[in-house]
Amino acid sequence: MEKLIVQNATVLFSNSAFFNKKVDVLVENGLIKNIGKSGSIQAKNATIIDGDGRFLAPGFFDLNCNFGEPGFETKEDLVTGAAAAAAGGFTGIALQPNTNPPLHSRADVAFIVNSARDLIVNVYPVAAISKNREGVDLAELYDMKLAGAVAFSDGNRSIQHSGLMSRALLYTKGFGGLVFSYAEDKSIAGKTKMNEGEVSTYLGMKGNPNIAEEVMVSRDLFFAEYNDTPIHFSTISCEGSVNLIRQAKKKGLKVTCDVAAHHLYYTDDEIISFDSNFKVKPPLRTKKDRAALIKGVKDGTIDAIVSQHTPHEVEFKMVEFEIAEFGIIGLQTVLPLLLKVGLTLELIVEKLAVNPREILKVEQPVLEEDQPANLILINPSELWIFDESTNRSKASNSPLFNSELKGKVDLLINKGHAIKLP
């Protein structure tokens, strides 16, 4: 990338002196070289990008992203996953350890760090808490931290052994590590496929009750308080969890949490269609839970929003609901979903770009001269079709596939490269 000028765009970098102002920005060889009032910047041989009606923001950062590599490359590899992330406006992703082998050793973490080095998206490995994600023995946490792990989680498996979770929190405290908790009591949740409530009763399906999540949130909050450690809860889904975390924050506990974008929009009513693309984990909850989650996002109880991008081959999703795998792809549809929910762009940027980096202590992008450009150009009113021609993932397991969406990222600049998205 040589010279590029974004003209007349509104700035959504909250740490910038130009916040909420219209500016021109000159980017040259990956660096921000000039920022000025609209119409004030000109440069020879520069590519001009019209930013009128568009918003300049820091690149999004996803705290919960699943690719397949290593072991499940037919679902998603690092290259296709990064392409999907970039198309959705993400310049950074925290990669979950749900691979084969899982990211449970220094070598596994180093493999991801080295393999992703040349991608336009910054990839940060989240390493497993336990060996093989079996929830029995602690993995080599400190070594993985040195190799580049930014946090520790057993991914979509909840730590059932209370002593192991407490020891993980205490051990990571010694070197400033962060534990992600996926809260689900398996003895309560069992092998359920959807939320427990009126819809599950109507359909005659055994449901996963809110209490299965709330019990584990409560347990891990006790451990965080007892060990005086930070803790982050991944993809909370119900009203009780929001209330527990809100109370914990008021007490002064070092707790953060995130919610998946699809839990802010969909409810368990969707399951009546038996569309396996609505089969996610944790399950879609009730309208009351959704309202509590949205309120939690707006009042600051919920710190971040994630895609929970979980790609699957067609043979794992185009089957009966009962036997279908959990998960949907979401990297390219987070922004349109959040706009449908009614969140403001300022709040979306806070929850998708600023707070995720703050949680992981990752450097924040800045809009300042002579600083590296890590930015996106958002067009909130652009209509586009999410289909085979626009999808950058290997997978297509999304309830939004082949539908018209509103809201898109037109331009992404990171690591010295620029992508103008079609």
Side-chain angles (χ1 to χ4, degrees):
M1 181 183 72
E2 295 183 357
K3 293 181 183 179
L4 183 150
I5 300 174
V6 179
Q7 294 182 333
N8 202 31
T10 302
V11 173
L12 289 183
F13 282 77
S14 59
N15 56 8
S16 169
F18 296 95
F19 181 61
N20 266 333
K21 296 179 181 178
K22 287 193 172 185
V23 298
D24 289 356
V25 177
L26 169 64
V27 179
E28 186 173 352
N29 296 322
L31 292 178
I32 299 169
K33 299 304 292 184
N34 196 359
I35 307 170
K37 294 180 180 179
S38 295
S40 66
I41 296 178
Q42 296 181 351
K44 290 184 179 179
N45 303 317
T47 301
I48 305 298
I49 304 293
D50 182 12
D52 189 33
R54 296 164 174 81
F55 297 82
L56 208 58
F60 298 151
F61 192 108
D62 192 1
L63 287 174
N64 192 314
C65 193
N66 297 279
F67 294 167
E69 192 172 357
F72 299 120
E73 288 86 353
T74 53
K75 296 182 185 295
E76 193 87 278
D77 58 42
L78 290 169
V79 172
T80 59
F90 291 89
T91 57
I93 57 170
L95 195 61
Q96 295 290 315
N98 307 325
T99 52
N100 184 28
L103 307 182
H104 66 162
S105 73
R106 183 182 186 126
D108 297 315
V109 172
F111 168 78
I112 296 296
V113 171
N114 293 329
S115 299
R117 185 165 284 135
D118 295 330
L119 300 175
I120 193 170
V121 174
N122 299 97
V123 178
Y124 298 86
V126 176
I129 294 171
S130 67
K131 294 179 181 178
N132 289 312
R133 298 196 300 131
E134 292 174 347
V136 178
D137 299 309
L138 282 181
E140 46 190 65
L141 305 182
Y142 182 60
D143 282 351
M144 292 190 290
K145 172 76 171 178
L146 294 178
V150 291
F152 303 95
S153 167
D154 271 1
N156 58 3
R157 296 181 184 175
S158 178
I159 299 290
Q160 301 299 300
H161 193 294
S162 295
L164 183 72
M165 176 56 90
S166 184
R167 287 192 293 273
L169 288 167
L170 186 59
Y171 184 64
T172 54
K173 178 182 179 180
F175 57 85
L178 178 63
V179 170
F180 281 18
S181 169
Y182 169 63
E184 182 185 77
D185 188 312
K186 287 178 63 177
S187 67
I188 299 174
K191 296 182 179 180
T192 52
K193 310 299 179 182
M194 67 171 296
N195 176 61
E196 180 182 273
E198 292 181 7
V199 179
S200 65
T201 303
Y202 170 74
L203 296 176
M205 295 177 65
K206 187 178 179 182
N208 181 344
N210 289 10
I211 194 72
E213 178 175 302
E214 294 160 7
V215 163
M216 296 300 267
V217 169
S218 180
R219 182 201 72 171
D220 291 349
L221 285 173
F222 274 118
F223 288 149
E225 183 174 21
Y226 177 76
N227 293 301
D228 189 27
T229 57
I231 190 168
H232 178 82
F233 289 96
S234 297
T235 59
I236 63 169
S237 65
C238 54
E239 181 182 24
S241 298
V242 177
N243 292 336
L244 286 166
I245 292 168
R246 183 181 288 117
Q247 292 164 14
K249 287 190 170 188
K250 287 179 180 177
K251 286 177 64 177
L253 271 66
K254 293 172 279 190
V255 55
T256 53
C257 66
D258 64 59
V259 63
H262 46 263
H263 282 105
L264 296 174
Y265 187 71
Y266 297 113
T267 68
D268 58 356
D269 288 335
E270 308 292 347
I271 310 301
I272 293 174
S273 68
F274 289 106
D275 182 348
S276 63
N277 286 319
F278 291 111
K279 186 178 180 181
V280 293
K281 187 178 181 183
L284 299 175
R285 304 289 187 180
T286 66
K287 292 183 177 68
K288 185 180 179 184
D289 291 307
R290 180 181 63 182
L293 292 170
I294 294 172
K295 180 181 178 183
V297 167
K298 291 180 176 179
D299 70 16
T301 302
I302 297 176
D303 303 273
I305 300 171
V306 301
S307 75
Q308 204 186 21
H309 180 81
T310 308
H312 288 297
E313 303 91 336
V314 64
E315 59 266 29
F316 290 103
K317 292 297 280 188
M318 295 296 288
V319 292
E320 295 86 348
F321 191 91
E322 182 73 17
I323 62 174
E325 292 288 335
F326 292 97
I328 63 174
I329 58 171
L331 283 166
Q332 290 181 242
T333 57
V334 170
L335 176 62
L337 267 187
L338 298 185
L339 290 171
K340 280 188 175 187
V341 170
L343 302 186
T344 65
L345 276 179
E346 289 86 351
L347 188 58
I348 289 172
V349 170
E350 177 189 332
K351 304 297 182 179
L352 280 184
V354 178
N355 288 359
R357 290 182 171 92
E358 189 173 301
I359 289 167
L360 292 181
K361 297 181 174 61
V362 172
E363 186 177 1
Q364 296 282 353
V366 294
L367 190 68
E368 295 178 6
E369 293 179 2
D370 296 321
Q371 293 297 313
N374 181 339
L375 55 86
I376 56 176
L377 188 64
I378 301 171
N379 185 346
S381 59
E382 182 173 349
L383 298 176
W384 61 288
I385 306 294
F386 183 44
D387 58 15
E388 286 188 8
S389 65
T390 55
N391 181 31
R392 296 295 176 261
S393 172
K394 283 187 177 182
S396 59
N397 53 300
S398 167
L400 293 169
F401 208 67
N402 290 321
S403 63
E404 185 179 66
L405 303 176
K406 186 177 182 180
K408 192 172 178 293
V409 171
D410 289 339
L411 174 74
L412 179 145
I413 304 176
N414 190 40
K415 295 171 73 171
H417 300 282
I419 297 179
K420 190 176 180 183
L421 299 162

